[in-house]
Each structure stands twice: as C-alpha cells, then as structure tokens.
Amino acid sequence: MQNGQEESALPQLIELNQRYPNNPAVLLRLARTHEALGRETAAIEFYKKIIGINHDSKDGWMGLVKIYMRRKPETALTILENMVKLYPDDPHIVDDYGVALDLNGHYAEAQAEYKRAIQIDPSMVSPEVNLGLSIGLSGDVYKGLAIIKPYAITGDAAPRTRENYALLLIAADHVEEAKVVLISYLPPDAAAAKFRKLSEFWALHGSQKRISSGNN
C-alpha cells in the first residue's frame, strides 16, 4: 500500500482490533501499517503483542528484527541467533542474520552466512549484494565492487543495491561515478543528500577501522 492508502486503512484496522483484540492477523496488519508510516514505536508494541499471543510467531519476531536492525543492531542479532537455529534452511532469515552480524562488526561471520543463504537459494540477489558490501566494508573494496556491479547496473536494480554500489564507489574514490549511480534513480536534491550521507558514513567507518586496527 502507498502512504495514503495506509493512512486510510488505519481506522478500519483499529476498529477491527477493538472487535477482535487478540487476532494475530489484525495485529500484524496494524504493526506493518504503522511501520510503513514510520511509527516504529507503535509497530514494536504490536509485534510484541503478536509474540505475547504466540511466542513462536515468525512474523512477530522478524517484524521486530527489521526495526531493531535500524534501532538496536545488537538486539536484532540476539533475536536472529535464535531464529536461525529454528529456521536454518530459510534463506531470508540466514541473509538477515548476516546483515545483523555485519551491523555488529562481525564481517567474516556475516560473509559465511551470506554464502550459506546463496547455497540454500542461488536465485536470491540480496545475499549476493550483501556479501559484496560486507567484503568491501571489511577492507577489500574492489572485490566487493566486482560482486555488486552486475546487480547494480541492470535497469531493474533495487535502490538499495544501487546505494550499496555507490557507497563502495565512494570508498574506492570513484566519486563522480558514485554520483552518476545515485542520480540514475533519485531526483538531484535527493541524490546529493544521499551522496553526503554515504560519504559521511564511509568517513566514519574508515576512522573506526583505523582505531580498531590501532587497538589490536
């Protein structure tokens, strides 16, 4: 649903929730609608209600994971450590586990999980792209670029794939090429803002790696 549709759907979902307060399907719709509208605190509470009704709810736990990836990466990793044991052959969960490992700085472990997700489902693009990004973030920028490039230059490349490719181009000091990638799917102002954000991220990431290396 688009934002306008989500906004208009909320009153109906709230009414349904009042009539059926413990219906997991309604709670899940509410959680996802609030999340899509950027109301993450409300979404978290609805996901927690789903888990309260069914502690083993895959939808509930993975809904929390998606938000905690942004807010509390260490909590997302803890949840996924358990989820990957329950669903070892689910490539999406294995891929998400890799992302959580990356976000917590465990690059080698993350790359092993991406490779495992690829083995489970070779048709999935996400773990391939995530593997390239992880390799780039962990120091081998050109190898990471080589992995991501075939997916990033296609006409139907996902925005996140192009963003990851642009980030590694910035890391490789191919600044103008990164700008071209961003302007290919974003309006000029948004592309400029995204470029600044990615540049700041890489500058911070690079300084953190230098500090970490100096402490070893």
Side-chain angles (χ1 to χ4, degrees), residues 158-179:
R160 187 60 183 270
T161 299
R162 298 185 191 193
E163 178 181 323
N164 290 342
Y165 185 52
L167 173 60
L168 292 190
L169 286 170
I170 291 169
D173 204 26
H174 295 175
V175 172
E176 294 306 316
E177 192 174 347
K179 290 179 179 179

Side-chain angles (χ1 to χ4, degrees), residues 126-141:
S126 177
E128 291 271 10
V129 172
N130 288 334
L131 175 62
L133 180 63
S134 181
I135 289 172
L137 291 175
S138 61
D140 197 338
V141 174

Side-chain angles (χ1 to χ4, degrees), residues 166 169-170 174-186 188 191-192 195-196 199:
L169 286 170
I170 291 169
H174 295 175
V175 172
E176 294 306 316
E177 192 174 347
K179 290 179 179 179
V180 170
V181 170
L182 294 172
I183 202 71
S184 71
Y185 73 100
L186 290 171
F195 177 80
R196 288 193 298 271
S199 298

Side-chain angles (χ1 to χ4, degrees), residues 20-97:
Y20 310 103
N22 293 318
N23 186 302
V26 174
L27 292 171
L28 183 62
R29 285 287 301 279
L30 275 167
R32 288 176 173 170
T33 300
H34 278 289
E35 184 179 358
L37 292 169
R39 302 167 186 173
E40 291 187 343
T41 300
I44 286 170
E45 292 306 311
F46 282 115
Y47 285 129
K48 286 182 176 179
K49 284 186 178 182
I50 295 168
I51 293 166
I53 295 168
N54 176 13
H55 186 267
D56 296 326
S57 171
K58 187 177 180 181
D59 287 328
W61 285 114
M62 293 309 294
L64 282 180
V65 160
K66 295 297 185 185
I67 297 175
Y68 286 151
M69 289 278 205
R70 298 184 289 271
R71 288 188 164 203
K72 300 177 180 179
E74 67 284 355
T75 302
L77 179 57
T78 299
I79 294 171
L80 281 162
E81 284 172 343
N82 292 320
M83 294 298 289
V84 81
K85 292 174 185 174
L86 292 172
Y87 304 98
D89 297 321
D90 186 319
H92 299 283
I93 290 178
V94 174
D95 186 34
D96 283 342
Y97 182 40

Side-chain angles (χ1 to χ4, degrees), residues 84 94-95 97-98 101 108-118 127:
V84 81
V94 174
D95 186 34
Y97 182 40
L101 285 164
E109 296 95 323
Q111 289 160 31
E113 294 305 315
Y114 296 138
K115 291 174 183 176
R116 189 157 72 90
I118 293 165

